Amino acid sequence: MTISFNHPIIKKSQSLIALFLLCLFISLLSDKFMTSTNLWNVLRQISVNVCISTGMTLVVLMAGIDLSVGSILGLSAAICAGLLKTGLSLESMNLFVGFTVLGGIITALLVGLALGLFNGWVITKFSIPPFVATLAMLTIGRGLTMLYTEGIPISNLGSSFESIGSGWILGIPIPVWISLIMVLIVVFLTKKTTFGRYIYAIGGNEKAAFLSGININKIKLAVYGIAGMMAAVGGILVTSRLNSAQPNAGMSYELDSIAAVVIGGTSLSGGVGRVTGTVIGAIIIGVLNNGLVLLDVSPFWQQVVKGIVILLAVIIDKMNQKNK
């Protein structure tokens, strides 16, 4: 009996098979990989990318792209840290507002939402390609972060905030719980709501979706807003884990999130993909990063290996499209 790689079951399980083989390979080369301490550490680290990548999945399903998620992460995290550290002072009104942990988090989420909505507005209002619009936001967001922090980390944000990134609930790290909730929300949106069906319809054929009466601009605006908010969630997790907001936080996260989406089987052409596949893709990226560190691979070679993995994922995606 022969097994065809074009078999539907094989196609759907490609990322899962790749994850299994990767874990097997690394575990054979390093006895530290399969320890509980290391595995929990990997899950805690990938939680950030899982949050960002779930939002990115919606964008890519719509045949879009968002290069600004790393900058949105950095800016929202910096504002959250700044408000927790020094509050908000309005000297002209002789007013000072202190922020609780919840207040800082809500503000960060609103910042992420606003920046994402701005991306969507620019794309829909001026018909600018998503690549260009979000590339501009990448630069704007990074510049605003540097201006806000003055290039200096904002640290010592309090034990309550720090516990979000370093604490445990029922024996599982809090960031893992948070990322799981984000995934479940997006899975619900894509599978159980009209909004989710519209996303797939726009990615599959935008012109046909428009002719069928779907308000494309409204859906795009909402999707980019969600992506921005998800990036802010990732920023909160990074900042709380370090108990510090770094001026350069989030750099290259946009590449890792896009890689997770593509490796997870979501087509860059839009209309095809699953959030659960993206989660597996994020785990693959996290395991690969962890394995390369354990194997003492040079950071320069780590970038080369990750680039090759992303390229292979895109090639496989194109091959799958041709075989349809």
Side-chain angles (χ1 to χ4, degrees):
M1 182 179 69
T2 59
I3 300 177
S4 172
F5 287 99
N6 290 325
H7 192 280
I9 296 178
I10 297 295
K11 280 187 175 183
K12 289 183 178 180
S13 305
Q14 283 176 346
S15 55
L16 197 58
I17 294 171
L19 175 60
F20 172 77
L21 293 176
L22 180 61
C23 290
L24 179 62
F25 178 73
I26 296 175
S27 62
L28 291 175
L29 296 179
S30 174
D31 56 1
K32 297 179 181 178
F33 176 71
M34 292 302 293
T35 62
S36 60
T37 301
N38 183 64
L39 292 178
W40 281 125
N41 183 50
V42 171
L43 288 176
R44 191 188 295 273
Q45 290 176 346
I46 68 171
S47 297
V48 176
N49 194 26
V50 167
C51 290
I52 301 172
S53 300
T54 51
M56 183 68 78
T57 302
L58 298 180
V59 174
V60 177
L61 279 173
M62 211 169 48
I65 200 73
D66 191 346
L67 300 178
S68 67
V69 289
S71 293
I72 292 176
L73 179 155
L75 181 56
S76 58
I79 291 176
C80 177
L83 294 177
L84 292 177
K85 185 74 173 179
T86 61
L88 179 63
S89 179
L90 301 174
E91 295 181 1
S92 61
M93 301 175 60
N94 196 27
L95 180 66
F96 173 79
V97 180
F99 276 76
T100 63
V101 171
L102 180 59
I105 290 174
I106 292 175
T107 303
L109 295 177
L110 291 176
V111 170
L113 174 63
L115 295 175
L117 288 174
F118 182 79
N119 279 335
W121 178 74
V122 170
I123 291 167
T124 56
K125 180 70 174 180
F126 302 101
S127 299
I128 295 177
F131 180 91
V132 177
T134 58
L135 179 62
M137 178 56 72
L138 182 155
T139 306
I140 294 170
R142 187 60 59 195
L144 290 174
T145 303
M146 290 297 178
L147 287 170
Y148 184 82
T149 62
E150 297 181 346
I152 302 172
I154 305 174
S155 305
N156 301 319
L157 306 176
S159 58
S160 297
F161 183 70
E162 184 181 11
S163 65
I164 297 173
S166 58
W168 299 69
I169 294 179
L170 300 177
I172 297 175
I174 293 177
V176 176
W177 284 113
I178 293 175
S179 62
L180 177 61
I181 292 171
M182 297 300 104
V183 169
L184 291 177
I185 290 173
V186 176
V187 167
F188 176 79
L189 285 176
T190 54
K191 289 185 175 293
K192 301 296 183 179
T193 67
T194 303
F195 175 71
R197 291 192 290 273
Y198 285 173
I199 292 174
Y200 278 96
I202 293 171
N205 190 322
E206 184 171 325
K207 185 176 181 180
F210 174 77
L211 293 175
S212 66
I214 296 175
N215 190 329
I216 294 175
N217 288 347
K218 184 178 179 180
I219 299 299
K220 285 185 176 181
L221 195 66
V223 167
Y224 279 97
I226 292 172
M229 186 178 289
M230 289 293 189
V233 174
I236 293 167
L237 295 182
V238 169
T239 305
S240 60
R241 189 177 71 207
L242 300 175
N243 199 22
S244 174
Q246 302 295 319
N248 61 349
M251 291 187 70
S252 81
Y253 267 85
E254 58 278 347
L255 300 180
D256 281 353
S257 64
I258 293 172
V261 171
V262 175
I263 292 172
T266 299
S267 173
L268 290 171
S269 301
V272 177
R274 297 173 300 155
V275 176
T276 50
T278 294
V279 174
I280 296 173
I283 296 174
I284 289 175
I285 294 294
V287 168
L288 182 62
N289 287 335
N290 179 258
L292 293 173
V293 171
L294 290 178
L295 298 176
D296 199 27
V297 176
S298 164
F300 307 118
W301 277 109
Q302 290 181 29
Q303 297 299 315
V304 173
V305 172
K306 286 173 63 175
I308 292 173
V309 170
I310 295 171
L311 181 60
L312 288 174
V314 175
I315 291 173
I316 291 172
D317 172 51
K318 290 299 181 182
M319 291 174 64
N320 287 338
Q321 292 296 316
K322 290 181 179 179
N323 290 330
K324 282 186 176 182

